[in-house]
Amino acid sequence: MNEIDTIAATLTAADAATRTWDAAVIGAGPAGASLALALAQRRRSVILIDRAAFPRDKVCGCCINARAIAALAALDVRHILDDHRAVATDRFAIRTHGAQASLDLPHGVALSRRRFDAALVRRAIAAGAVFLPGFSASDAGLGANQRCVHLHRGDEQAHLHARVVIAADGLSGGFLRDTGDHHPTTARRSHLGLGGVVGEAPADYVPGTIHMHVAAHGYVGIVRLEDGRLDVAAALAPMFIRERAGPATAIADILHTCAAPTIPGLDAVSWRGPPLLTRRRKRITGERLLLIGDAAGYVEPFPGEGL
């Protein structure tokens, strides 16, 4: 399967700063892109901003559950799952300390976030949203009947204005980093999220099954993606990662403890991780400001729950 093309900006930052938008959405993950799409479908002027260039990889279990699929259908974009050959998942298999069990978990799919997120952004653009990738955004306070957003990329800077700003920049988002009332509080003993993709892996990890491995210091979830690679997503105690001298050894240890098939090449994976997972914000709204998705708070999910 060929790699999807880079999604170019549909407007320059300087041009974006010359008007007042109905909404500025910060973060182009599923929450932000879906909202931008919904607003554009309602003929609102909306600009979608993300600090990354698209397509981009994202730490995630890459599973999409039935409720999320229904939400896509309500936006008339359910077809993107078929367009990108999402793998139907109907089984949840769990191992722990040598014991194992499985159960039916129908109506879900697995699709890499690289493809899924990019497809949602493309649909938002097609509906009329403006996309501005590659820019970091920070809150610049209130103006007259509007909220201001500071954009920067290297030496390039701009200020844009919107009637409403929606922060959808996830766990590690920095849009409200300097805004005290919205600072997140992390739960004690919260796990650290880690993720990566493995190209070659044992056939034991069959498509259509969410493989979950649970031990005392966290869990490792594995699912086969649309291109045959394995998505590996883990939530592990930070001390355990340090004791094992890094993610690869820690994940291999969990698999060994659970008597799961060994995955070669874990030490060659470029592991990525968001901040500690379970967190909440004191406030998720402000004047002309709303936080949605993981930016609003995050409770570490039951393994296999999916988007």
Side-chain angles (χ1 to χ4, degrees):
M1 185 181 296
N2 294 328
E3 190 53 83
I4 53 179
D5 295 333
T6 298
I7 305 175
T10 51
L11 198 69
T12 68
D15 287 340
T18 62
R19 59 179 295 184
T20 298
W21 301 86
D22 288 329
V25 181
I26 315 302
S34 296
L35 178 61
L37 170 60
L39 290 170
Q41 288 174 338
R42 289 160 177 78
R43 298 185 180 180
R44 302 295 183 182
S45 62
V46 54
I47 183 167
L48 178 63
I49 304 160
D50 200 286
R51 64 185 178 185
F54 273 59
R56 53 93 177 97
D57 293 311
K58 190 78 172 178
V59 176
C60 182
C62 294
C63 296
I64 304 170
N65 66 25
R67 290 183 66 184
I69 294 173
L72 294 175
L75 290 170
D76 198 26
V77 292
R78 165 66 178 81
H79 61 87
I80 67 176
L81 302 178
D82 299 324
D83 293 346
H84 292 279
R85 304 179 191 175
V87 180
T89 55
D90 56 12
R91 199 85 178 149
F92 178 82
I94 186 168
R95 291 175 181 256
T96 178
H97 299 287
Q100 56 184 305
S102 63
L103 66 151
D104 293 335
L105 192 69
H107 311 307
V109 300
L111 181 63
S112 64
R113 287 289 299 275
R114 185 175 185 84
R115 295 183 183 278
F116 180 52
D117 292 12
L120 281 176
V121 169
R122 290 186 187 280
R123 293 309 307 162
I125 294 171
V130 167
F131 184 47
L132 188 63
F135 278 86
S136 294
S138 56
D139 183 39
L142 289 164
N145 299 318
Q146 60 191 6
R147 198 165 190 103
C148 307
V149 177
H150 176 65
L151 301 174
H152 60 95
R153 180 177 63 185
D155 294 333
E156 188 177 358
Q157 299 190 46
H159 273 79
L160 64 80
H161 310 278
R163 294 178 179 87
V164 177
V165 175
I166 301 98
D169 52 347
L171 284 170
S172 57
F175 179 69
L176 293 169
R177 183 171 290 127
D178 298 325
T179 307
D181 287 349
H182 296 90
H183 190 75
T185 300
T186 303
R188 294 181 59 194
R189 300 181 180 178
S190 181
H191 284 151
L192 184 70
L194 292 165
V197 178
V198 180
E200 299 292 334
D204 304 73
Y205 296 104
V206 297
T209 297
I210 299 170
H211 305 270
M212 190 60 57
H213 313 87
V214 183
H217 302 290
Y219 58 82
V220 178
I222 298 172
V223 69
R224 189 76 67 170
L225 296 174
E226 70 279 359
D227 58 6
R229 297 181 300 163
L230 289 187
D231 181 80
V232 181
L236 305 175
M239 181 64 73
F240 179 66
I241 299 172
R242 289 193 290 269
E243 290 173 350
R244 294 301 185 272
T249 306
I251 288 170
D253 188 285
I254 296 280
L255 297 179
H256 176 74
T257 299
C258 297
T262 300
I263 300 176
L266 290 176
D267 55 352
V269 173
S270 178
W271 298 103
R272 304 175 307 279
L276 295 170
L277 294 173
T278 301
R279 56 184 52 213
R280 63 176 299 178
R281 293 187 189 263
K282 184 177 179 180
R283 296 180 61 197
I284 60 170
T285 61
E287 188 171 350
R288 299 183 179 273
L289 174 68
L290 177 66
L291 285 74
I292 66 169
D294 294 348
Y298 189 87
V299 177
E300 186 179 324
F302 179 77
E305 186 176 6
L307 290 175

